[in-house]
Amino acid sequence: MEKKEEQKLREMINAYQTELLHFCYIRLQDKMMAEDAVQETFLKVYRHLSGYKDEGHEKAWLYRIALNVCRDMLRSGWFRRINRHITPELLPDDSTPPNEEEIALSQAIHHLPVKSREVILLYYYQGFSVTETASILGIRQSSTSERLQRAREQLKTMLKGEFEDE
């Protein structure tokens, strides 16, 4: 790899490593596996960086690779057999405790079907546009919009009973 490409890879790692780690953690629900997924993502980037020419969309390219790495990990037989339950001792310390609404929303998002969860995470939490989200997921924009609308409706239904009594 040339010096220029090595520098570009370092810049990408510095710019996106933390974001990708959060994204992979949300998908995999396991810190160590998320770290492995990010590492695998950057290995794939390293292998294909010389052929990559679309400078303006590198973030979307990275997220697409990370999403595919996570999907591959979720499909593996090993992943389905391990116990991924998180105990309270393993949770990171938070500077401000989440309120009831944030907890309910987070739980509702985790109960969405995978396709709905992916589009919500990319659009709302990672800040991608509908076009970028469609590109990352490898689907049409109209499908992305439909999944987004369906996910919003599902969340609305799930959360409706949660706060009606208050």
Side-chain angles (χ1 to χ4, degrees):
M1 184 175 270
E2 295 177 20
K3 280 269 191 220
K4 185 174 132 182
E5 290 171 341
E6 286 179 21
Q7 181 61 32
K8 183 64 178 172
L9 180 63
R10 277 192 208 97
E11 289 171 7
M12 292 169 87
I13 290 171
N14 290 334
Y16 301 113
Q17 183 174 17
T18 304
E19 285 182 42
L20 286 173
L21 182 60
H22 289 215
F23 177 72
C24 292
Y25 178 76
I26 289 169
R27 290 284 295 127
L28 299 169
Q29 300 294 305
D30 183 280
K31 184 182 177 196
M32 305 270 282
M33 290 190 69
E35 290 170 353
D36 289 346
V38 171
Q39 185 175 13
E40 180 66 25
T41 298
F42 283 115
L43 283 172
K44 289 184 182 225
V45 167
Y46 175 78
R47 287 186 207 122
H48 297 97
L49 192 57
S50 61
Y52 182 71
K53 303 292 181 218
D54 194 4
E55 294 294 321
H57 296 97
E58 71 182 22
K59 184 176 179 181
W61 182 57
L62 282 168
Y63 272 85
R64 179 157 187 145
I65 293 169
L67 179 64
N68 287 332
V69 167
C70 290
R71 284 177 176 169
D72 290 345
M73 291 175 101
L74 289 169
R75 285 185 200 121
S76 76
W78 177 84
F79 183 84
R80 289 190 295 268
R81 282 184 247 127
I82 64 168
N83 181 2
R84 293 177 310 280
H85 294 297
I86 299 173
T87 62
E89 304 84 49
L90 297 176
L91 292 173
D93 293 333
D94 198 1
S95 57
T96 58
N99 62 36
E100 287 182 44
E101 291 156 348
E102 291 171 335
I103 292 170
L105 178 60
S106 179
Q107 289 173 343
I109 289 170
H110 286 290
H111 284 92
L112 287 173
V114 172
K115 289 180 180 183
S116 297
R117 189 177 334 135
E118 288 174 349
V119 77
I120 288 289
L121 293 174
L122 290 169
Y123 184 78
Y124 286 108
Y125 288 85
Q126 300 303 325
F128 287 109
S129 67
V130 171
T131 304
E132 292 168 325
T133 300
S135 172
I136 292 167
L137 296 174
I139 58 176
R140 295 186 326 265
Q141 278 185 332
S142 59
S143 299
T144 302
S145 296
E146 289 170 16
R147 284 185 189 181
L148 199 52
Q149 182 60 35
R150 196 173 315 121
R152 286 185 198 120
E153 290 169 6
Q154 290 170 325
L155 287 172
K156 189 176 181 181
T157 302
M158 285 184 215
L159 294 171
K160 187 176 182 181
E162 194 74 27
F163 297 102
E164 266 183 359
D165 300 332
E166 296 177 5

